[in-house]
């Protein structure tokens, strides 16, 4: 049955390519034929998983590009098909009928809820965890429940955990995986570090004893340097620690070597430090990581920049308070006149609970440089109400029709920003590209 599963996956993927389609349907067919086909695969190379709330796609793609810079053949679910069906598609389409996987390295972005399935069916050499934030409560449930599910999946794991040492929700995973080796990455305090924070912070209490965590400083949200007031739980000694040189210029340093992150924001530097941790673990030269940072194609909607009528147009995905707050900070750093489009959807992939918009500091957009805010999406009126409750008194336009909202944005003679939730991202992007070409 495993061979038939591989054949069916390959054939369906080939037929989809003929009509210029992709997706995870081939893997879904393969798993239907043989639910445990991944266990049968013969893999003779490192398997690296990347998971976490934010930064999975960018981090896994940079790791894959770094490996390719080291002249390795890499299997990577680059387009973000991070559920078990998409991962199965990526693997089986690169597997021979003898069940041997043809690769020098396998780098897979994995949705947090799919970690138990993948850990059960693949021998994993490194599990990279970027961060844990509250996200899509209706799908992932409370963050504590999600982390417990992952802890249960790794209790017998004997590979290497590559963990964000500045996130207590990530550091706690080591307690659950006593057989695993660990490598902690993080970033030292910098000019933007804060002694106090008003951002939504999930890491308030110790996972061991339940007492409140005290912070020496916060980087953003609950990311920072912490220690428990009741036991010895604290920020571990970092194996890979970066130093910020200049956030607007995207410069940071590791081992006295300067690097340039591919996108703005401190959170992007954290993604890069995670990549360097993997480089260190697998003895990949740091120069390969540096080239990957420079040459990587930014995923759609991750601070993606276009030019229209001599103005910048920046497109960003938002899906939870922490990620959205980091986007707000990047926009806040831009002091040019700007017009902002925000598209809020509430489909299943977005999360039907949109209360997270009240944990996001949209107030950062309510400044004199913002000439107009445009809102659209299935929950456009909720988004407009959020701005009214936040005290926004500037010009606002509400469009139920997405195309009309994009047209309104492109009429502005300012820097342009488009912010969209998951299911709105590609429709907004496609409309922007179409309208700019017209």
């Amino acid at each position: 049955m495993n061979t038939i599963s591989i054949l069916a996956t390959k054939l369906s993927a080939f037929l989809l390519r003929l009509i210029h389609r992709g997706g995870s349907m081939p893997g879904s067919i393969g798993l239907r034929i043989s639910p445990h086909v991944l266990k049968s695969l013969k893999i003779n190379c490192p398997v690296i998983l990347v998971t976490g709330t934010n930064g999975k796609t960018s981090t896994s793609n940079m790791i894959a590009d770094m490996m390719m810079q080291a002249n390795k053949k890499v299997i990577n679910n680059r387009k973000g098909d991070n559920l078990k069906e998409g991962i199965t598609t990526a693997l089986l389409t690169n597997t021979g009928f003898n069940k041997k996987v043809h690769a020098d390295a396998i780098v897979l972005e994995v949705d947090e809820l799919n970690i138990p399935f993948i850990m059960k069916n693949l021998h994993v050499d490194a599990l990279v965890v970027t961060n844990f934030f509250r996200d899509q409560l209706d799908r992932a449930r409370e963050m504590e429940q999600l982390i417990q599910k992952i802890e249960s999946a790794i209790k017998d794991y004997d590979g290497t955990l590559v963990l964000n040492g500045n996130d207590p929700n990530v550091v706690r995973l080591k307690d659950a995986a006593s057989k695993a080796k660990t490598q902690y990455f993080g970033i030292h305090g910098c000019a933007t570090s804060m002694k106090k924070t008003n951002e939504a912070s999930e890491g308030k209490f110790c996972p061991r004893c339940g007492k409140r965590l005290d912070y020496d400083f916060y980087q953003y949200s609950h990311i920072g340097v912490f220690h428990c007031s009741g036991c010895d739980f604290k920020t571990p000694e970092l194996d890979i620690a970066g130093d910020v040189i200049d956030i607007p210029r995207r410069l940071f340093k590791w081992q006295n070597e300067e690097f340039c992150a591919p996108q703005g924001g401190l959170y992007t530097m954290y993604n890069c430090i995670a990549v360097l941790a993997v480089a260190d673990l697998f003895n990949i030269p740091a120069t390969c990581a540096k080239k990957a940072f420079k040459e990587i194609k930014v995923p759609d909607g991750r601070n993606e920049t276009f030019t229209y009528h001599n103005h910048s147009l920046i497109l960003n995905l938002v899906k939870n308070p922490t990620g959205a707050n980091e986007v707000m900070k990047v926009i806040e750093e831009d002091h040019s006149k700007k017009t902002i489009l925000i598209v809020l959807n509430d489909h299943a992939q977005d999360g039907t609970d949109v209360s997270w918009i009240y944990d996001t500091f949209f107030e950062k957009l309510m400044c004199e440089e913002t000439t107009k805010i445009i809102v659209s999406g299935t929950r456009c009126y909720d988004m407009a109400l959020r701005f009214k409750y936040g005290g926004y008194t500037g010009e606002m336009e509400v469009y139920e029709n997405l195309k009309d909202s994009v047209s309104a944005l492109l009429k502005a003679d300012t820097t342009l920003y488009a912010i969209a939730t998951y299911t709105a991202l590609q429709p907004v992007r496609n409309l922007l590209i179409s309208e700019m070409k017209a």
Side-chain angles (χ1 to χ4, degrees), residues 198-200 220-221 267 318 320-332 356 359-362 364:
N198 293 320
E199 295 180 10
Y220 64 94
S221 189
Y267 63 95
V318 297
N320 56 53
T322 298
N325 281 331
E326 292 308 296
V327 170
M328 298 305 111
K329 290 177 186 177
V330 172
I331 297 175
E332 186 182 32
W356 62 270
D359 291 325
T360 299
F361 286 97
F362 287 108
K364 290 182 180 293

Side-chain angles (χ1 to χ4, degrees), residues 358-403:
Y358 288 91
D359 291 325
T360 299
F361 286 97
F362 287 108
E363 286 77 7
K364 290 182 180 293
L365 307 182
M366 303 176 195
C367 57
E368 61 182 15
E369 290 95 351
T370 299
T371 61
K372 183 192 298 182
I373 291 175
I374 303 165
V375 295
S376 188
T378 57
R379 301 294 287 270
C380 57
Y381 294 105
D382 294 81
M383 193 70 247
L385 192 63
R386 168 67 182 88
F387 277 100
K388 291 296 183 182
Y389 283 156
Y392 181 65
T393 57
E395 185 177 356
M396 181 187 295
E397 295 178 359
V398 181
Y399 293 92
E400 294 182 7
N401 183 282
L402 185 60
K403 185 175 181 180

Side-chain angles (χ1 to χ4, degrees), residues 128-175:
V128 183
V129 186
T130 58
N131 47 61
F132 286 128
F133 301 110
R134 183 163 52 88
D135 183 39
Q136 296 184 339
L137 295 180
D138 50 309
R139 185 181 79 90
R141 297 186 292 179
E142 284 292 343
M143 191 184 63
E144 180 67 20
Q145 294 172 299
L146 176 66
I147 296 173
Q148 287 176 356
K149 192 169 185 177
I150 294 174
E151 286 174 331
S152 178
I154 63 173
K155 64 179 186 296
D156 294 320
Y157 177 57
D158 60 0
T160 301
L161 293 170
V162 182
L163 305 178
N164 184 345
N166 291 142
D167 186 342
N169 298 325
V170 173
V171 172
R172 65 181 278 186
L173 294 181
K174 174 54 182 170
D175 288 356

Side-chain angles (χ1 to χ4, degrees), residues 97-319:
F97 294 117
N98 61 356
K99 303 184 186 67
K100 185 175 181 180
V101 179
H102 306 295
D104 299 315
I106 297 170
V107 182
L108 300 170
E109 173 193 345
V110 186
D111 171 78
E112 303 94 297
L113 289 174
N114 283 256
I115 284 290
F117 176 86
I118 300 302
M119 296 296 291
K120 188 184 298 183
N121 286 278
L122 288 179
H123 181 272
V124 176
D125 295 276
L127 174 61
V128 183
V129 186
T130 58
N131 47 61
F132 286 128
F133 301 110
R134 183 163 52 88
D135 183 39
Q136 296 184 339
L137 295 180
D138 50 309
R139 185 181 79 90
R141 297 186 292 179
E142 284 292 343
M143 191 184 63
E144 180 67 20
Q145 294 172 299
L146 176 66
I147 296 173
Q148 287 176 356
K149 192 169 185 177
I150 294 174
E151 286 174 331
S152 178
I154 63 173
K155 64 179 186 296
D156 294 320
Y157 177 57
D158 60 0
T160 301
L161 293 170
V162 182
L163 305 178
N164 184 345
N166 291 142
D167 186 342
N169 298 325
V170 173
V171 172
R172 65 181 278 186
L173 294 181
K174 174 54 182 170
D175 288 356
S178 58
K179 300 177 184 177
K181 299 175 283 294
T182 52
Q183 188 170 45
Y184 295 105
F185 65 88
I187 294 179
H188 291 135
C190 61
T192 61
S193 301
M194 304 165 289
K195 292 293 184 182
K196 295 182 179 180
T197 181
N198 293 320
E199 295 180 10
S201 299
E202 287 84 9
K204 292 181 178 178
F205 300 101
C206 177
R208 290 180 184 167
C209 72
K211 295 287 182 66
R212 179 173 286 275
L213 292 178
D214 295 323
Y215 275 76
D216 295 347
F217 63 82
Y218 296 88
Q219 301 281 35
Y220 64 94
S221 189
H222 62 265
I223 306 299
V225 169
F226 55 87
H227 63 273
C228 178
S229 58
C231 70
D232 62 354
F233 184 75
K234 63 180 181 178
T235 300
E237 183 176 346
L238 300 178
D239 300 291
I240 308 295
D243 290 287
V244 174
I245 299 174
D246 191 305
I247 291 178
R249 293 168 57 208
R250 312 197 307 271
L251 297 177
F252 68 96
K253 185 169 62 175
W254 176 60
Q255 290 190 337
N256 295 317
E257 189 166 354
E258 190 173 291
F259 298 85
C260 182
Q263 300 166 271
L266 184 60
Y267 63 95
T268 301
M269 293 184 185
Y270 268 92
N271 296 340
C272 292
I273 290 294
V275 175
L276 289 168
V278 173
D280 184 74
L281 180 63
F282 291 99
N283 297 312
I284 304 296
T287 53
C288 293
K290 183 176 286 191
K291 289 178 182 177
F293 300 158
K294 182 179 180 180
E295 299 177 10
I296 188 171
K297 182 184 181 300
V298 175
D300 293 351
R302 273 70 167 187
N303 220 34
E304 187 178 10
T305 303
F306 306 91
T307 300
Y308 182 67
H309 289 177
N310 297 318
H311 290 295
S312 293
L313 192 166
I314 300 96
L315 174 64
N316 266 304
L317 167 72
V318 297
K319 60 191 182 96

